[in-house]
């Protein structure tokens, strides 16, 4: 696992966006062989999306031959609701770049048969040859997508009941009223994320510091689902200094030394 530590959220977001753009460009995607991205919502990726839009506007990356699969969506919330993940993705990324609408895949939390919706989503990912690159964030309890503590580490796309903690954390988007936050969501599984050829998790801010410590310094544990990244052959954590505050000094020093070169040189597009 690579751990990249940036001074702050801005520099971290910039690096992640450049990294993704570079991956897309190196793949030279075509309509027949598109680049397949897994994408998250939440505050963690907003800076990355902003930078990706800037790179697109500068002509440095195109999403014409990119297919996306989002991680999750609330159940029973209309797509036009400002807190739906559909709305979020168009607001922060898709409306600002050249991705064809038909290349965007987001779970439908209003489907009549939610189990079937999840099965079809997994099938569609397979039809595309799997996900090349999964970007993610984490909750303060170390969950990825909506794979709450206690989720199976081999789980696939399915319905999950959200923990009170997660609903409380997300109440800030629902007039600070926890009862307005949906109780269930559709989410890709930990196994779905880990099947991607590369996984990059953004960890920003002090409230994620305990989760980062568990992910990096403790063992693989279903109570901190992000810890499964330890078993991925190409797992990257991109974090800021604040998120490292619970790591051992020696751990931080070790990973900083390894990445000195990468920190000094932003990837050239
Ligand atoms: C939700 C999302 C996750 C996200 C997490 C943290 O639970 N399902 O994908 O990582 O929130 O969000 P934030 O980045 O806003 O802290």
């Amino acid at each position: 696992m690579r751990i990249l530590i940036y001074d702050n959220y801005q520099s971290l977001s910039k690096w992640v966006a450049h990294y993704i753009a570079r991956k897309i460009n190196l793949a030279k995607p075509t309509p027949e062989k598109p680049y397949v991205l897994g994408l998250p919502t939440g505050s963690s990726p907003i800076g990355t999306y902003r930078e990706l839009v800037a790179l697109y506007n500068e002509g440095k990356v195109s999403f014409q031959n990119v297919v996306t699969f989002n991680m999750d969506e609330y159940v029973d919330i209309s797509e036009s609701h400002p807190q739906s993940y559909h709305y979020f993705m168009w607001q922060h990324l898709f409306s600002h770049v050249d991705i064809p609408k038909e290349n965007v895949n987001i779970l439908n939390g209003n489907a009549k048969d939610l189990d079937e919706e999840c099965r079809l989503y997994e099938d569609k990912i397979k039809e595309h040859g799997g996900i090349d690159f999964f970007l993610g964030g984490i909750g303060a309890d170390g969950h990825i997508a909506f794979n709450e503590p206690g989720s199976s580490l081999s789980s696939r796309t399915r319905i999950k009941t959200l923990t009170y903690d997660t609903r409380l954390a997300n109440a800030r988007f629902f007039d600070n009223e926890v009862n307005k936050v949906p109780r269930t969501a559709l989410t890709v599984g930990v196994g779905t994320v880990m099947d991607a050829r590369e996984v990059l998790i953004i960890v920003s801010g002090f409230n994620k510091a305990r989760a980062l410590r568990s992910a990096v310094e403790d063992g693989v544990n279903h109570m901190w689902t992000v810890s499964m990244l330890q078993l991925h052959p190409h797992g990257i954590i991109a974090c800021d200094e604040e998120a490292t505050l619970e790591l051992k000094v020696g751990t931080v020093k070790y990973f900083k030394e390894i990445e000195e070169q990468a920190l000094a040189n932003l990837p050239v597009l």
Side-chain angles (χ1 to χ4, degrees):
M1 180 156 66
R2 286 179 70 189
I3 302 183
L4 306 162
I5 303 167
Y6 290 90
D7 288 348
N8 54 47
Y9 178 70
Q10 283 70 27
S11 49
L12 142 68
S13 303
K14 196 167 183 156
W15 186 86
V16 175
H18 275 74
Y19 190 78
I20 294 172
R22 187 160 176 267
K23 285 273 159 182
I24 296 171
N25 290 342
L26 285 174
K28 298 190 171 57
T30 60
E32 295 71 35
K33 202 174 176 322
Y35 193 72
V36 185
L37 271 182
L39 294 176
T41 56
S43 44
S44 304
I46 288 180
T48 299
Y49 293 156
R50 198 180 301 128
E51 291 290 339
L52 277 172
V53 170
L55 289 171
Y56 165 74
N57 286 332
E58 289 164 22
K60 291 186 172 160
V61 68
S62 163
F63 293 80
Q64 195 68 49
N65 295 316
V66 171
V67 167
T68 61
F69 285 90
N70 259 83
M71 285 188 142
D72 42 19
E73 177 59 288
Y74 290 118
V75 167
D76 265 347
I77 195 171
S78 95
E79 287 180 11
S80 57
H81 189 294
Q83 296 312 330
S84 82
Y85 289 173
H86 278 78
Y87 189 96
F88 176 102
M89 287 310 298
W90 286 95
Q91 181 192 21
H92 290 286
L93 182 64
F94 300 147
S95 301
H96 310 288
V97 297
D98 59 348
I99 191 161
K101 198 169 186 295
E102 60 276 17
N103 287 12
V104 171
N105 297 283
I106 307 179
L107 284 154
N108 176 6
N110 297 296
K112 273 211 180 86
D113 184 339
L114 294 173
D115 290 327
E116 176 74 352
E117 170 69 12
C118 294
R119 263 194 305 277
L120 293 175
Y121 205 65
E122 286 279 338
D123 288 349
K124 201 162 183 191
I125 292 174
K126 268 196 212 106
E127 278 161 27
H128 279 88
I131 290 175
D132 289 306
F133 185 100
F134 224 127
L135 178 68
I138 53 168
D141 57 6
H143 71 251
I144 38 172
F146 270 130
N147 294 287
E148 300 283 33
S151 293
S152 158
L153 295 178
S154 59
S155 49
R156 315 301 311 184
T157 306
R158 68 212 183 292
I159 309 169
K160 275 304 276 188
T161 300
L162 306 184
T163 62
Y164 182 69
D165 280 9
T166 295
R167 291 176 54 234
L168 206 56
N170 291 354
R172 67 190 195 274
F173 303 118
F174 291 85
D175 308 323
N176 285 318
E177 286 189 41
V178 69
N179 287 330
K180 286 191 181 169
V181 183
R183 286 170 190 272
T184 50
L186 302 186
T187 178
V188 295
V190 182
T192 319
V193 178
M194 293 304 143
D195 277 355
R197 287 180 265 285
E198 188 167 3
V199 180
L200 190 157
I201 303 292
I202 297 171
V203 187
S204 168
F206 181 64
N207 70 327
K208 306 286 173 70
R210 280 181 63 234
L212 185 62
R213 185 186 64 202
S214 296
V216 177
E217 292 180 349
D218 295 340
V220 175
N221 186 328
H222 64 301
M223 297 309 282
W224 301 87
T225 52
V226 65
S227 65
M228 192 61 182
L229 197 63
Q230 293 177 21
L231 299 187
H232 196 283
H234 299 289
I236 304 178
I237 287 181
C239 59
D240 55 18
E241 288 280 353
E242 274 195 23
T244 67
L245 291 181
E246 295 278 348
L247 291 178
K248 290 183 186 130
V249 173
T251 306
V252 172
K253 194 166 179 284
Y254 174 69
F255 283 107
K256 273 192 174 170
E257 274 171 15
I258 294 176
E259 296 298 340
E260 228 162 51
Q261 214 45 38
L263 284 170
N265 307 305
L266 284 180
V268 180
L269 288 178

